[in-house]
Amino acid sequence: MVRIRGTVGEVPVDLTVELDDSDWARLGSALNVPAPAQPEMAAAPAAKPLNQDEALWQVAKDLLRKAGQLSGPDLLDQLEGLTGSAAAGKRLLVRLRHSSQVKVVSGGDTPLYSWIE
């Protein structure tokens, strides 16, 4: 389930979207996220599905990876839009800052977040 809160113009919006596995797969393919490998044997244990926080974390990493580099305010705006919450967007921003795959440098007035391979 994804909850989106904010405004459209001056109209407040509070939207809850429920996604099943096929919806998440379509969303992942739209973002060019590789699909998880399917087990070849039917007896193999199923992989634990990502919870909503981990799914948002993957999307946040993909967002920065595709952009290559974003300023802190631009990245925060996109993360807030993704999560529907300023607090959740800030949590993802902090998590990105501490990720070994992200380099943060001072870009004058704002930090610049860069994806490193």
Side-chain angles (χ1 to χ4, degrees):
M1 179 172 70
V2 177
R3 185 168 186 190
I4 302 167
R5 290 185 292 182
T7 59
V8 176
E10 295 181 13
V11 178
V13 174
D14 190 355
L15 176 67
T16 302
V17 180
E18 292 188 26
L19 302 171
D20 61 17
D21 291 339
S22 64
D23 294 327
W24 281 113
R26 281 194 310 249
L27 178 61
S29 66
L31 297 172
N32 293 325
V33 176
Q38 296 295 322
E40 292 185 24
M41 298 185 319
K48 181 180 176 186
L50 293 178
N51 64 27
Q52 182 178 355
D53 290 338
E54 286 305 308
L56 286 172
W57 170 238
Q58 292 300 321
V59 173
K61 290 192 306 184
D62 290 340
L63 179 107
L64 184 57
R65 181 182 8 235
K66 287 183 181 189
Q69 183 178 50
L70 287 170
S71 71
D74 290 339
L75 182 56
L76 180 58
D77 285 344
Q78 291 189 30
L79 294 173
E80 286 177 357
L82 174 70
T83 61
S85 155
K90 288 178 184 177
R91 282 193 299 272
L92 284 173
L93 189 68
V94 169
R95 194 169 175 186
L96 283 169
R97 175 181 288 275
H98 295 287
S99 171
S100 63
Q101 298 170 313
V102 176
K103 180 179 179 183
V104 182
V105 295
S106 176
D109 293 338
T110 63
L112 295 174
Y113 288 74
S114 301
W115 184 262
I116 53 176
E117 293 296 327

